[in-house]
Amino acid sequence: MYNQEEYVTRLIDEARKIVKQEEADLNSLNKLLSRESLLDIAQWHDDKPYTRVCLYEDAEFELILICWKALSKTAVHNHNEQNCWVFFFDSDFQEVIYCQEGKKTLDIKKVNKGGISYMKDKNKCHSLHNLSDAPVMTLHLYNAPIKSCEIVNHNDNNNSLDWADLKYDVKLDYEMCTS
């Protein structure tokens, strides 16, 4: 068995292969993921529906563990034209895909535990919903760090897209994580 730093290093190495398309075998990364191995890293903040824990960030990609409260969901958002892989290793989720403006639903799908989602279309919007009545985790890999994205503003009559700055709630202190 690996210690925590070795385990995270293996996740980062597999993520790097995916982003560089050296070995675009998503299942290699997916098979490494386990609730037990990530519980020591996971954090849930009482004041948020989900907590963003940065496992790794450099100029090429970021790897984020998202810790979800029971039945929580994201706002409708895009990824600022970055590719996004989501590994649903801990629970079933619902993913809703919207048009580029986030106003029209294009697809609703249930992603079962162990499933993988990939957003590559220019800048479509989506939302994720934890279907579990327990706290769970997902792993998110972005081909470049996303510092801002557009989120649908349901407070105006047009449901317009507004820019939002993204921040980590927690960033690991391993030497391999850079600012």
Side-chain angles (χ1 to χ4, degrees):
M1 197 62 186
Y2 303 101
N3 69 36
Q4 196 67 55
E5 188 168 350
E6 291 170 335
Y7 177 71
V8 172
T9 299
R10 286 205 59 210
L11 294 177
I12 293 166
D13 289 345
E14 290 301 320
R16 183 174 283 111
K17 289 177 187 176
I18 292 167
V19 170
K20 290 187 174 196
Q21 297 180 349
E22 292 172 1
E23 294 178 30
D25 181 6
L26 301 177
N27 287 323
S28 291
L29 179 56
N30 208 24
K31 288 177 187 175
L32 287 174
L33 297 171
S34 76
R35 180 175 183 81
E36 296 76 30
S37 297
L38 289 164
L39 269 177
D40 287 343
I41 297 171
Q43 295 185 33
W44 287 267
H45 293 179
D46 290 338
D47 60 337
K48 298 179 174 224
Y50 54 88
T51 303
R52 300 177 81 236
V53 179
C54 175
L55 302 182
Y56 181 78
E57 174 191 15
D58 68 14
E60 292 182 292
F61 71 95
E62 65 184 340
L63 192 60
I64 301 172
L65 180 68
I66 297 189
C67 304
W68 302 79
K69 283 185 173 179
L71 303 171
S72 60
K73 58 184 170 181
T74 65
V76 177
H77 65 282
N78 64 31
H79 294 123
N80 200 5
E81 299 187 12
Q82 300 302 321
N83 293 333
C84 170
W85 295 264
V86 180
F87 298 84
F88 299 95
F89 66 94
D90 201 24
S91 176
D92 296 341
F93 271 73
Q94 177 178 287
E95 180 177 33
V96 181
I97 308 294
Y98 300 87
C99 67
Q100 189 170 357
E101 299 81 23
K103 295 178 184 179
K104 180 181 175 192
T105 300
L106 301 177
D107 190 20
I108 299 173
K109 59 184 175 181
K110 180 179 179 186
V111 184
N112 293 322
K113 180 179 176 178
I116 303 168
S117 175
Y118 177 57
M119 290 283 289
K120 65 178 179 179
D121 293 327
K122 185 77 172 152
N123 218 20
K124 284 187 181 165
C125 293
H126 80 151
S127 64
L128 298 174
H129 183 190
N130 172 16
L131 298 178
S132 173
D133 59 0
V136 299
M137 298 173 271
T138 53
L139 187 72
H140 298 242
L141 171 60
Y142 302 98
N143 71 309
I146 301 174
K147 298 304 178 190
S148 63
C149 71
E150 292 176 298
I151 295 176
V152 172
N153 180 354
H154 292 292
N155 294 328
D156 70 13
N157 291 335
N158 296 325
N159 287 335
S160 62
L161 288 169
D162 292 337
W163 283 98
D165 291 330
L166 299 176
K167 295 180 176 36
Y168 306 123
D169 298 303
V170 177
K171 190 165 185 175
L172 293 186
D173 290 332
Y174 295 136
E175 288 180 22
M176 68 198 105
C177 289
T178 60
S179 295

